[in-house]
Amino acid sequence: MTNDMLRAPAEVKYAEELDWLESVDDGPKPFSWRLSPRMVRLFVLGSERADGLDRQISQKWFGDRSFVERSIVTLASDRGLLLIGDPGTGKSWLAELLAAAICRNSTLVVQGTAGTTEDHIKYSWNVSMVIARGQSRESMIPSPIMTAMERGVIGRFEELTRSTSDVQDALISILSEKYVSIPELDDDNIVFAQPGFSIIATANSRDRGVNDLSSALKRRFNFVRIPVVTNRRSEAEIVRFRTTELLRRHRIELDVPPTLLDILLQSFADLRAAAASAGSDDEKLESALSTAEQIGVLEDAILHSHFFGDRTLRAATLAGSLVGSLARRTPEDLAILNKYWHGVVEPRSKSDGGPWPEFLEGGRQAIATLS
């Protein structure tokens, strides 16, 4: 089934694991949850020998265990869960995994934008059916959030702070009252949330000031702040995990040399340190330099090597992908990257050798091309 989808949702991709966990799960389950909280955590973070299971469960999200546990406990209560952090920290992926494990449906999603309206989180109407038969429950189009309420499952709201205050205010009543009124109908005009309903929202900390959350809405959520991954080992595991998925999805047989992965991780670490010590925003790359962007750089390099190279990942290709991905503003970002290449990469290529000289030359060519 997953072969028919460009990107299968977590409940489809890991259906076998979820089925097996459900078959051996004898723990207490809140509401209509498909798995107990312990098994939800195990599905997200993977199994250990101490868990005493007959099979290995793969780790799917890499981060502090306490973040996952607090998220699960929140969803077992009557409060919403707000995952907040910098772009690329895995907030949406964690939300998807939690929804998949709890209710086997992670696709009831509202994407927050400046154009998101109250209809997107409540309901709208099928105009043709309204003209033909009038307003009724049959002619109503429920939003993903209303559908989650009716089924007693998890609804998701991506980029909450990008929505206007009117939309956020409508969400307050859903989270507090747990029902939606339909004033256009005389009968059957209230949709009550069923046990198990909750909302997982995400917000980028960099969007602060776009549409700040009101105090009333903040009280309806438990906040879980997802930090940027700074541990080198954890970040390497994430990049390897995502890269393996990429290669499998594209059916590409290509090795990622550990030395090139080290160069990628070191380069991002250097650029983050430079951004932290920068005196102004003009001296920082526009990129968030997140783990997700590292994965994007590596994906670009792998696909370029596969389709236009000799199917061997080389340091020059990786350098070109890094420059091409991070140089979003010209000439500001190119100037920052050029300074990094001359001040850090060049000395390191002389002292460390290995793939660094080729990485140096590949970056220089990419910067010259874009300048």
Side-chain angles (χ1 to χ4, degrees):
M1 185 175 180
T2 57
N3 293 332
D4 299 329
M5 304 178 191
L6 181 61
R7 182 191 177 278
E11 62 270 19
V12 174
K13 185 174 183 178
Y14 300 109
E16 184 186 358
E17 279 192 3
L18 289 167
D19 288 340
W20 186 83
L21 287 171
E22 196 169 341
S23 70
V24 301
D25 189 6
D26 57 0
K29 304 178 183 66
F31 310 117
S32 56
W33 285 27
R34 299 286 294 269
L35 293 176
S36 65
R38 175 178 171 270
M39 286 298 187
V40 173
R41 183 191 66 188
L42 197 146
F43 171 72
V44 174
L45 296 177
S47 60
E48 300 175 354
R49 184 174 299 178
D51 294 314
L53 298 179
D54 294 333
R55 62 170 289 178
Q56 180 76 19
I57 302 299
S58 62
Q59 185 174 4
K60 303 164 191 68
W61 188 81
F62 297 82
D64 195 291
R65 178 175 179 163
S66 64
F67 300 146
V68 177
E69 292 180 350
R70 177 168 166 76
S71 299
I72 295 170
V73 169
T74 295
L75 295 173
S77 70
D78 62 349
R79 297 174 65 82
L81 170 65
L82 179 60
L83 303 174
I84 186 168
D86 283 351
T89 49
K91 303 181 298 296
S92 297
W93 179 232
L94 177 57
E96 181 178 339
L97 290 171
L98 290 170
I102 289 171
C103 58
R104 298 294 285 266
N105 188 349
S106 64
T107 60
L108 297 173
V109 185
V110 173
Q111 181 64 49
T113 67
T116 302
T117 66
E118 191 173 332
D119 292 350
H120 290 114
I121 64 171
K122 288 187 173 180
Y123 59 89
S124 56
W125 298 97
N126 184 319
V127 177
S128 298
M129 290 186 66
V130 170
I131 293 173
R133 305 177 188 176
Q135 290 177 322
S136 65
R137 288 298 294 270
E138 289 72 28
S139 60
M140 189 178 73
I141 304 173
S143 71
I145 299 297
M146 180 178 279
T147 301
M149 295 175 68
E150 292 180 301
R151 297 179 184 176
V153 296
I154 303 294
R156 295 169 52 203
F157 200 121
E158 291 289 310
E159 308 289 358
L160 179 59
T161 50
R162 291 189 177 273
S163 301
T164 61
S165 57
D166 292 343
V167 174
Q168 294 181 18
D169 289 344
L171 198 60
I172 293 175
S173 63
I174 292 175
L175 288 167
S176 58
E177 305 300 334
K178 299 295 192 295
Y179 68 80
V180 172
S181 297
I182 311 169
E184 295 91 340
L185 302 181
D186 294 328
D187 300 315
D188 195 18
N189 59 0
I190 298 180
V191 173
F192 292 96
Q194 299 301 303
F197 165 72
S198 191
I199 292 177
I200 305 176
T202 65
N204 283 332
S205 52
R206 292 196 175 200
D207 288 338
R208 186 175 298 168
V210 177
N211 290 296
D212 288 334
L213 301 183
S214 67
S215 298
L217 186 55
K218 287 179 179 178
R219 289 197 301 270
R220 269 70 179 184
F221 281 110
N222 273 353
F223 283 55
V224 174
R225 298 188 178 274
I226 309 298
V228 173
V229 178
T230 56
N231 181 279
R232 184 75 168 265
R233 181 178 177 183
S234 298
E235 194 162 44
E237 288 176 343
I238 296 171
V239 175
R240 287 194 195 96
F241 174 74
R242 289 297 195 183
T243 304
T244 301
E245 286 191 329
L246 165 73
L247 294 172
R248 188 185 302 119
R249 187 169 74 236
H250 289 282
R251 298 177 182 176
I252 295 175
E253 294 184 4
L254 186 149
D255 292 330
V256 178
T259 52
L260 293 188
L261 182 57
D262 288 340
I263 285 179
L264 177 64
L265 294 169
Q266 185 62 58
S267 298
F268 267 73
D270 293 338
L271 291 168
R272 286 171 185 160
S277 61
S280 66
D281 288 342
D282 290 338
E283 298 174 0
K284 300 178 183 179
L285 289 170
E286 188 176 64
S287 165
L289 297 172
S290 66
T291 305
E293 285 174 304
Q294 285 192 62
I295 296 166
V297 169
L298 188 56
E299 178 180 3
D300 181 84
I302 288 172
L303 293 176
H304 194 280
S305 301
H306 180 73
F307 292 117
F308 300 110
D310 58 1
R311 301 192 178 186
T312 300
L313 182 61
R314 301 190 183 280
T317 306
L318 183 63
S321 296
L322 190 147
V323 171
S325 298
L326 299 186
R328 298 174 182 176
R329 300 174 302 173
T330 53
E332 294 89 350
D333 284 349
L334 281 175
I336 294 170
L337 289 170
N338 189 52
K339 179 180 178 181
Y340 169 67
W341 240 260
H342 283 286
V344 178
V345 177
E346 185 173 352
R348 189 170 286 144
S349 69
K350 294 177 180 178
S351 61
D352 295 358
W356 279 102
E358 184 182 344
F359 185 75
L360 170 67
E361 186 58 30
R364 280 176 171 171
Q365 291 180 7
I367 292 171
T369 301
L370 294 174
S371 297

